[in-house]
Amino acid sequence: MTPAQIKIKRTESMLKELIPEAISALADARIREVDVVDVKCSRGRSDAKVYLDPHDYTAQEQAAFIKLLEKVRPIIEEHCMKDQGWFRSPRLTFVFDDTLERSRNIEALFAKIAKEKKDES
């Protein structure tokens, strides 16, 4: 692992701790319901994508959460900056993590293929 990759991983790890801390300090109880699953930084660490746990939220609820988080994004970025003493914080982008749903779909496809092969024999 190169030194640049190590710095990126360290920043991601820090943000994964700081963002939930900043969210929990906000006054809006709706936002505090959201859980951070993962954080991925860009190469230059100027941008970071924050993956959120979708729970059983509908698409409308997810859109509402994203809208709320975009409004408080500067507050979260400022919290991260002040806590770590950074000159600037990565620009945060919030998205709901759909990897669990995709893996369920793949598992269902494999089960369907296995069933079809079993029926053919």
Side-chain angles (χ1 to χ4, degrees), residues 9 12 15-17 19-20 23 33-42 47-55 57 62 65-66 69-70 91-100 102:
K9 291 291 182 190
E12 290 172 350
L15 288 172
K16 208 183 295 187
E17 291 176 22
I19 292 169
I23 289 173
E33 292 178 17
V34 177
D35 296 322
V36 175
V37 176
D38 200 11
V39 177
K40 294 291 179 195
C41 289
S42 65
D47 295 311
K49 196 173 267 193
V50 181
Y51 293 94
L52 307 170
D53 186 9
H55 290 294
Y57 300 129
Q62 288 181 3
F65 278 121
I66 297 293
L69 286 166
E70 281 300 316
R91 179 167 165 67
L92 304 177
T93 306
F94 298 95
V95 294
F96 279 92
D97 188 16
D98 64 345
T99 54
L100 184 61
R102 282 189 284 159

Side-chain angles (χ1 to χ4, degrees), residues 70-86:
E70 281 300 316
K71 284 183 181 179
V72 297
R73 179 186 50 77
I75 297 168
I76 296 170
E77 289 174 357
E78 186 177 337
H79 174 82
C80 296
M81 227 172 29
K82 285 183 178 178
D83 188 80
Q84 290 302 301
W86 292 337

